[in-house]
Amino acid sequence: MDMATVLPLAVQALGGAIGGNILGAVTRGGGGLLGRTIIGAVGGLAAGYAGGNVEAVGNVTAMWSNLIEGENGAHLANLITGAAGGGLLGLIGGLLIRQR
């Protein structure tokens, strides 16, 4: 794999980890810091995959790439997509995975 393939995935996973940690911490669950990070990163990658393969999700993520001109717009779109997917799974994980 070359850097052009890995970089979008890494940015989506980073955004997902951030979004998952924030919403998982708000709901006071998600299996702690490590659990929220892993859940968020998986959610970010899943949202990126959905953005590339589901037309409706792809249309929404295409709007985010216009926020900044040039190559950084694509990185920002990947970060926001990852944060949205990670935040969604972080919210679900925070509500379902509770400490006893």
Side-chain angles (χ1 to χ4, degrees):
M1 292 179 115
D2 59 343
M3 196 60 155
T5 305
V6 173
L7 187 60
L9 298 174
V11 171
Q12 289 167 355
L14 176 68
I18 292 169
N21 270 315
I22 291 171
L23 284 177
V26 167
T27 56
R28 296 179 167 224
L33 182 64
L34 183 62
R36 289 189 302 261
T37 302
I38 293 171
I39 288 171
V42 169
L45 290 174
Y49 179 78
N53 294 315
V54 177
E55 185 178 352
V57 178
N59 291 338
V60 173
T61 59
M63 291 188 310
W64 294 329
S65 64
N66 295 329
L67 295 174
I68 297 177
E69 296 293 324
E71 183 179 330
N72 290 334
H75 296 313
L76 180 65
N78 285 329
L79 186 70
I80 293 171
T81 301
L88 180 65
L89 275 188
L91 179 65
I92 293 169
L95 294 174
L96 295 179
I97 302 172
R98 295 285 183 169
Q99 296 176 352
R100 296 181 194 257

